[in-house]
Amino acid sequence: MKYQTYTSLRTFNSFGIEAAAERYAPVHSVSELQTLLREEDESPLRILGGGSNVLITGDLSGRLLHIRIPGRQVETRNADTVIVSAGAGENWHEFVLWCLSQDFGGLENLSLIPGSAGAAPIQNIGAYGVELADVFDHLEAVDLHTGATLRMDRAECAFGYRDSFFKKEGAGRYCITKVFFRLSTANHRLHLDYGAIRETLAAMKVVTPGIRDLSRAVIHIRSSKLPDPARIGNAGSFFKNPEIETAELNRLKQLLPLLVAYPAGEDRHKIPAAQLIEACGWKGYRQGDAGCYEKQALVLVNYGHAAGSEILALAQQIARSVWERYGVRIVPEVNVW
Ligand code: EPU
């Protein structure tokens, strides 16, 4: 197998950043991956999935493997659940739609999230009251050091809020190749309580929603707030929502009386970074082609030809101002390369 040299990554990252990979190879199967890993090579190795959660700040030296392993399958079925699998290279939203078309429930709130199925466990994708961990069964991966295949269950993946083993101890060590989900085939449990879901369903005149209605409502909400990466480059939420203690929340409420907060365990609260960023005046701000999206302050955008370093500089300015004004540290959710 051969690497392509100095490949443009512009169409492979949802920010639409122009940058080159010194050596690039698309990977379509586990055996192709293992063949590449057997080559004697000490140069840096990176794994790219759907490119929707990465900010590339310069040309990449070494090797870049672009995981394009296909496959969607019903693995096992019993009375009211089914185990389905997705090859790591499957487009996440198309996989969700495929599950919905067969009346498999559990992924509907995660509709329209950009990216690939293989990348989804890494940051434990989540939206509208559901996260991947809720429906995850297990995954298969390849150890990048040894080329060996392995299986990991939910506990081993150590999922947290936009977090997992693969962002901590396992960072840079594994390539996820296939993900397995446990979905419902009957008596679907609908998660309707987050944000504008109920009112969106009511506006759609849906009285007794099913999983496909819920998916349509989520798609409607996302499309109205989040920029379409095909039109405006972005990677979804750029920062994570911070978790703070009660005393800290009370202090912040003095400064921002309308601050929203969600319970996050004993004496812990999650607060929307978007609200802090907006209160610092960044929403809709633009500096060259780098900007803070006008409809969702947590989303940084590339209006055309911004360099990754310009987006990063804006992110740092935003984080600094939130820190100086509110004493809260906001950290990127997006991987910065
Ligand atoms: N808000 C503002 N200003 C804004 C946007 C939001 O003040 O410009 C406030 C509102 O008060 C709102 C609250 O923030 O009540 C929460 O907003 P929203 O429901 O849009 O969600 P979020 O916390 O900004 C998170 C996820 C999104 C996910 C939505 C919906 C993170 C980092 N982001 O955003 O995930 O779609 O909830 O569940 O947890 C992503 O991770 O890339 C992503 C888009």
Side-chain angles (χ1 to χ4, degrees):
M1 282 202 27
K2 282 228 172 75
Y3 286 97
Q4 300 164 23
T5 51
Y6 296 99
T7 305
S8 167
L9 301 176
R10 186 173 171 93
T11 57
F12 297 151
N13 73 100
S14 62
F15 257 123
I17 301 290
E18 186 57 89
E22 191 182 2
R23 283 185 298 147
Y24 165 93
V27 171
H28 303 94
S29 67
V30 172
S31 61
E32 268 186 25
L33 175 61
Q34 289 171 319
T35 304
L36 286 167
L37 294 174
R38 267 197 294 275
E39 289 171 11
E40 201 73 34
D41 196 329
E42 296 297 313
S43 68
L45 172 65
R46 287 193 173 89
I47 303 290
L48 179 69
S52 61
N53 205 44
V54 63
L55 176 65
I56 305 174
T57 58
D59 291 345
L60 304 179
S61 60
R63 298 162 288 165
L64 182 69
L65 306 186
H66 192 179
I67 305 305
R68 315 208 92 161
I69 301 171
R72 308 165 187 165
Q73 216 168 313
V74 176
E75 301 281 342
T76 55
R77 216 183 243 276
N78 64 27
D80 50 11
T81 61
V82 65
I83 302 283
V84 292
S85 66
E90 287 290 323
N91 173 275
W92 174 260
H93 180 59
E94 282 166 23
F95 174 65
V96 171
L97 294 180
W98 176 78
C99 293
L100 289 167
S101 72
Q102 297 174 83
D103 203 32
F104 300 156
L107 300 178
E108 49 284 352
N109 294 49
L110 305 179
S111 297
L112 209 61
I113 295 184
S116 63
I122 298 176
Q123 58 150 340
N124 184 19
I125 58 168
Y128 306 100
V130 174
E131 55 184 27
L132 173 126
D134 299 331
V135 284
F136 176 88
D137 193 76
H138 69 280
L139 60 75
E140 291 171 0
V142 167
D143 183 328
L144 297 172
H145 293 181
T146 65
T149 56
L150 66 151
R151 174 192 160 115
M152 290 178 75
D153 64 20
R154 188 182 349 199
E156 288 167 305
C157 291
F159 293 119
Y161 165 59
R162 293 296 190 280
D163 202 16
S164 75
F165 168 77
F166 301 100
K167 283 186 120 178
K168 294 186 288 207
E169 299 91 322
R173 178 78 202 253
Y174 302 96
C175 175
I176 296 169
T177 53
K178 197 170 182 182
V179 189
F180 296 73
F181 300 90
R182 181 180 297 276
L183 304 178
S184 55
T185 54
N187 305 318
H188 303 304
R189 237 184 101 219
L190 301 184
H191 298 267
L192 301 169
D193 289 328
Y194 188 98
I197 288 197
R198 283 185 198 277
E199 62 190 75
T200 305
L201 285 165
M204 286 163 50
K205 309 229 178 313
V206 175
V207 183
T208 44
I211 53 177
R212 281 184 283 268
D213 302 309
L214 185 43
S215 167
R216 282 196 294 126
V218 166
I219 289 171
H220 178 84
I221 299 169
R222 286 190 79 95
S223 325
S224 67
K225 280 194 187 178
L226 299 170
D228 176 359
R231 294 183 42 246
I232 304 177
N234 76 93
S237 301
F238 192 89
F239 299 99
K240 286 205 217 188
N241 285 328
E243 275 186 20
I244 56 173
E245 292 176 0
T246 309
E248 178 77 346
L249 178 62
N250 294 337
R251 180 186 68 76
L252 283 171
K253 284 216 160 153
Q254 304 281 313
L255 301 171
L256 253 183
L258 297 180
L259 181 65
V260 179
Y262 308 93
E266 202 179 326
D267 196 31
R268 308 282 302 163
H269 311 269
K270 198 189 280 181
I271 56 169
Q275 212 179 343
L276 304 178
I277 295 169
E278 184 175 343
C280 288
W282 292 105
K283 194 173 181 173
Y285 176 86
R286 179 170 175 169
Q287 192 172 281
D289 271 353
C292 177
Y293 192 52
E294 63 199 4
K295 295 187 202 158
Q296 224 302 3
L298 204 49
V299 178
L300 300 190
V301 291
N302 172 13
Y303 285 109
H305 299 283
S309 55
E310 292 174 286
I311 307 262
L312 182 61
L314 175 60
Q316 287 165 340
Q317 258 177 286
I318 291 174
R320 197 177 319 120
S321 79
V322 168
W323 168 249
E324 281 167 4
R325 183 130 168 209
Y326 295 111
V328 176
R329 289 204 189 278
I330 54 171
V331 296
E333 181 208 276
V334 167
N335 298 299
V336 178
W337 281 0

